[in-house]
Structures are given as structure tokens and as C-alpha cells.
Amino acid sequence: MASPKEVFQQINPFYKLTKDPQERKNLDMMGGRQILSSIHYALPGTLSTNFVNKIGITPEMSAPYNIPNTILMPLCMFLITPFLDHVKNRSRFMAWVTLLSGLGLMSPLLVCLGPDSFRTAKFVLVNGMIWSCLQTICSSPGGGIDAAIHCRACHNEIRGRFFSIAGMIRGVVGVLVGFYITWAAKTFDVRMALLIGTIPSVIFVLIPAYMALFIKDLPDLSDVKPPKRENPLKDISKIIGMREFRIMMPANFLRGLGDGAAGYAFWLALRRLNLPNEYAGYVTILGSVSPFIAYAIFGLVMDRFGAGIVIPVTDVLLVIGLMGTVVTHNPLMFLGFFLLRAVMSEIEATAIPMAHYEVVPSEVMGAFSSLRLLLLQATIRISGLCSGLLMAWVTPFAVFMGCAVLKLTAGAFYGYGVFALRKPHSTAVHQQ
């Protein structure tokens, strides 16, 4: 009779990707973190939109309260960037970053558990702004340190299959989360539904933080030493001077600017289409199943066509889904367009980092990724802020159309950048 360990190995989809025991363990921990973290982010999301919509908050009302966070995110990421490739215990550092990134959950907890005065529009907006800023400060190193860990914990030749498997599992698990949210939204008022969505989310911060401690460098991927430490600004200037940075960053810049309006799609549909509360669950199900569909497609097309083809085509389909959510007057068609955009967004979000993993030297991966994500987060937040403010003067269609044009341009730039960087070149920072 097989032992529990042998049974786990037989059903574990990551186990067959490699024969290295430590790499197998890394894949288990990294995949588990991705899956559980996706539950954490999905649980309170659309329930929170239901809540703020119920108490009368609109996108244009909330936009000014996002200004501090819009400024704080790129500033924090810029300040931390020079130090990311010099962190000695990356796994422990990532565990703390993951744990403290859950501070944002304090906002819905206070709103739901506090007195009635905590559920006024003014308090909800100010309270959300404060906790969002604290979460931003603590989570700002996350993207860079995560990339620095991943590039040393997993070989490139299995990375695509790893992301595909983890993404499809996320999709299956996400459907269950969506059913939970649908049940909560239909059964309880918006306040109680938000509370029972937030409490489990706390658990799905603690477990991924603990799992980060077990990810270790592989010997053949950890022999690259970080660049010699110099003045932080000089370190950043060397990254900016890399050919990879000059070619890929315009696309990352436009990608972020084009993402700003998407976050308002469900919020706008709630009023425009007069959707009932349970649509929060339907949207969550679609958003959660989208990784399953996306990574199934990803596994079929990525190795065959490459990022230079996949990313531009993906962005065309993404734009069709984005515009469809704001022009349709049919709730079912809204869900269909929402799913299309979510699937294509997931494919885009996976194809872009993989392209960078292949062309950026590992010794600067942390700093390079942090600067890339700094630019992405800054532009997304600026675009989101501007999109919300503009809706006070122009139609949502015009705002969404502007973002759609930016997304199409970004896709074209990514296609050019990937093909350009396939040519022989010398970019190592220590050679500059």
C-alpha cells in the first residue's frame, strides 16, 4: 500500500516537472503561494464594490482619495529598488513582505465591525486611504524580491509549464471562491457579506507568508553574484542604462496607462445595468476561472509562437473584452466580455514576466523587476485616478476608448521589443 507521501507525489502535478528534490519543494511552495494568494485577493474584492456602491460612493468620489497611494507606491518602490539584489535571506524577507501586505484587510474589518459612524461615505473613503497607504509601504518590495527568488528557484525550461499548472489550479479553486462569494452576496446584506469575505482572507495571507520560508536557491542558479554595491542612485542608473530597459520599458509604461479603466468595469455596470448583488459572485467566478482558461491557452500557444506574437494578439482580444463591458446593455453579454478581458489579461500578465526572465541577467533581476513593476504600478494608479476623475466630465466610453488605444500600442511595442532583444548583444551590468 502506498504511503501518504507517495500518494501526494503521484497526484502532485509539479512533481513530474523536475527530478531535483529542492526544485520540487520550491515548485510546491511557489505554486501553493500563488494559489492561496489568489484566494486572498479574490475574497473581499467584489463584495467591497457592492458595499461602497450601496452607500453611494461613485468612482469619481473615490478617485481623489487614491492620490496619496498613487504617489506613495512608486516612491517606495524607487527607494527600495537598489537594495533588493543585496538581501541576504530573500525567503525570510519575502515572508515578512507577504505578511505585512495583509494590512489592507484592516479597512473592511473596521468598517464592518465598527459603529454606524464607520459606515458613512466619508469614513469609508478616509479609512480605506490610510490602510491602503500602509499596505503600499509594506508591499512595495514584493514584486522585486519575488522575481529575485523565482529566477534562482526554478529553471527556465520548466517555468512555462509551472505557471500553466499553477494558473489552472488557481482557476479551479477560484470557482469555489466565486460560489462562496455568490452565496454570501445573496444570503446577507452587503455589510455582513463583506465581513465573511474578509475574515477568511486573513488566513490566506498567513499561510503563504509561512510557505515563503521554504523556498531555497538552486546551486546552479545561485552562483551569480550580485553587482558590486555602489551608491544607490548609481545602481539604479546602471539598470536604466541597460539595453533591455530602454527597449522594454516604453511597452511597460503604456501597458500600465491602458489598465486604469478596467477596475471600474463592474462598478459602472452595477448602476448602468441595475445588476443585483449576486453579480459580485458571478464576476468573481469568471475572474477566478479565467486563469484556468488562460493557462490552458497559454500552454498551447506560448512555446509555439513566443511572446513576440502572443502578447500583441492577446492585447487585441483584451481590448475587445474591455470595450464590450462598457457598451453592452445585456447583463449576460457583460459577463461574456468581462470573461474575455479577464482571460486575456491573465495571459498578458504571465507572458510579459516570462519574456523578461529570458533576457534580463539574474544578478540584477530584483532591481530590474522592481523598476519595471514600479513603472507599471505608478502608471496603473495614475491611469486609474485619471479615469475616475474624468468620468465626472466625459462619458465612460471615452475613458475606456483612450485606455484601449494605449493597450493596443503597448502590445505592438512588446512585439517589437521581444524580437529586438533576440539579437546578440552584451548587457551585463558589470560590463558597463
Side-chain angles (χ1 to χ4, degrees):
M1 183 176 179
S3 66
K5 182 178 180 180
E6 291 173 335
V7 172
F8 175 73
Q9 291 173 351
Q10 291 174 1
I11 64 174
N12 182 358
F14 301 124
Y15 190 79
K16 294 180 176 65
L17 296 181
T18 178
K19 295 182 179 180
D20 186 316
Q22 183 57 55
E23 189 168 27
R24 284 173 170 171
K25 191 172 187 178
N26 288 345
L27 296 180
D28 288 342
M29 295 300 107
M30 293 189 300
R33 279 173 49 80
Q34 284 189 27
I35 295 162
L36 296 179
S37 294
S38 69
I39 299 174
H40 154 66
Y41 288 114
L43 275 170
T46 51
L47 293 173
S48 178
T49 304
N50 270 358
F51 179 85
V52 297
N53 182 67
K54 186 71 173 181
I55 64 174
I57 297 175
T58 62
E60 55 269 29
M61 286 173 59
S62 69
Y65 293 88
N66 294 327
I67 293 176
N69 204 26
T70 302
I71 298 171
L72 198 57
M73 170 57 83
L75 176 62
C76 291
M77 293 183 72
F78 179 81
L79 292 176
I80 197 66
T81 290
F83 306 99
L84 291 175
D85 288 304
H86 301 279
V87 175
K88 292 185 177 180
N89 193 327
R90 288 182 289 269
S91 296
R92 183 181 298 175
F93 184 69
M94 187 61 196
W96 277 108
V97 171
T98 304
L99 185 65
L100 294 175
S101 67
L103 282 174
L105 294 173
M106 289 298 299
S107 175
L109 287 175
L110 283 174
V111 167
C112 292
L113 297 174
D116 289 342
S117 59
F118 282 20
R119 285 175 287 282
T120 62
K122 184 72 171 180
F123 182 88
V124 169
L125 290 169
V126 173
N127 178 62
M129 178 184 69
I130 293 172
W131 287 107
S132 178
C133 287
L134 291 174
Q135 178 177 319
T136 291
I137 295 171
C138 295
S139 64
S140 59
I145 201 65
D146 189 61
I149 290 173
H150 272 241
C151 71
R152 293 170 171 86
C154 170
H155 289 93
N156 275 337
E157 53 265 30
I158 65 171
R159 197 182 302 278
R161 283 173 289 164
F162 163 72
F163 277 122
S164 181
I165 292 170
M168 293 178 75
I169 296 173
R170 281 170 49 201
V172 174
V173 173
V175 171
L176 300 178
V177 175
F179 282 127
Y180 176 78
I181 290 176
T182 303
W183 166 77
K186 291 183 68 174
T187 308
F188 303 99
D189 61 58
V190 292
R191 173 191 172 189
M192 183 57 67
L194 178 57
L195 180 61
I196 65 175
T198 303
I199 292 175
S201 187
V202 176
I203 299 172
F204 294 108
V205 171
L206 299 176
I207 300 176
Y210 180 68
M211 294 174 76
L213 298 173
F214 297 94
I215 304 174
K216 307 297 181 185
D217 291 356
L218 300 179
D220 60 322
L221 298 180
S222 59
D223 56 352
V224 178
K225 301 297 181 183
K228 182 180 178 182
R229 190 163 186 172
E230 302 182 43
N231 180 283
L233 292 178
K234 192 172 183 180
D235 284 345
I236 292 177
S237 69
K238 285 188 174 183
I239 300 296
I240 295 174
M242 293 173 64
R243 186 167 183 261
E244 292 90 346
F245 191 94
R246 295 195 303 270
I247 290 177
M248 298 302 288
M249 285 307 136
N252 284 293
F253 176 77
L254 292 172
R255 174 196 175 191
L257 289 180
D259 280 338
Y264 296 110
F266 175 56
W267 197 343
L268 292 169
L270 276 175
R271 294 193 174 191
R272 185 169 57 88
L273 304 179
N274 195 28
L275 300 178
N277 288 340
E278 56 264 30
Y279 267 71
Y282 302 157
V283 165
T284 302
I285 291 173
L286 295 181
S288 299
V289 80
S290 62
F292 183 90
I293 302 172
Y295 285 105
I297 297 171
F298 190 83
L300 294 174
V301 303
M302 189 62 187
D303 292 337
R304 179 177 300 179
F305 299 106
I309 299 296
V310 170
I311 296 174
V313 173
T314 296
D315 280 337
V316 171
L317 295 173
L318 189 155
V319 162
I320 293 173
L322 177 69
M323 294 306 301
T325 60
V326 77
V327 299
T328 183
H329 293 280
N330 184 304
L332 292 179
M333 290 187 67
F334 165 78
L335 293 177
F337 283 120
F338 185 92
L339 177 61
L340 176 62
R341 189 205 66 82
V343 169
M344 294 303 122
S345 181
E346 195 75 38
I347 294 176
E348 180 200 51
T350 306
I352 290 170
M354 285 190 65
H356 288 81
Y357 281 136
E358 292 184 9
V359 300
V360 178
S362 294
E363 62 266 30
V364 295
M365 183 62 75
F368 190 100
S369 297
S370 184
L371 285 176
R372 179 179 74 83
L373 294 171
L374 183 160
L375 183 64
L376 178 64
Q377 290 295 327
T379 50
I380 287 176
R381 289 165 190 266
I382 290 170
S383 179
L385 173 65
C386 293
S387 296
L389 292 173
L390 284 171
M391 287 179 195
W393 293 284
V394 300
T395 64
F397 176 84
V399 175
F400 275 62
M401 179 58 74
C403 287
V405 172
L406 291 169
K407 290 296 292 185
L408 292 174
T409 308
F413 274 44
Y414 275 119
Y416 163 76
V418 169
F419 286 115
L421 288 170
R422 286 178 178 173
K423 299 176 181 179
H425 60 277
S426 177
T427 54
V429 169
H430 64 271
Q431 292 177 349
Q432 294 184 12

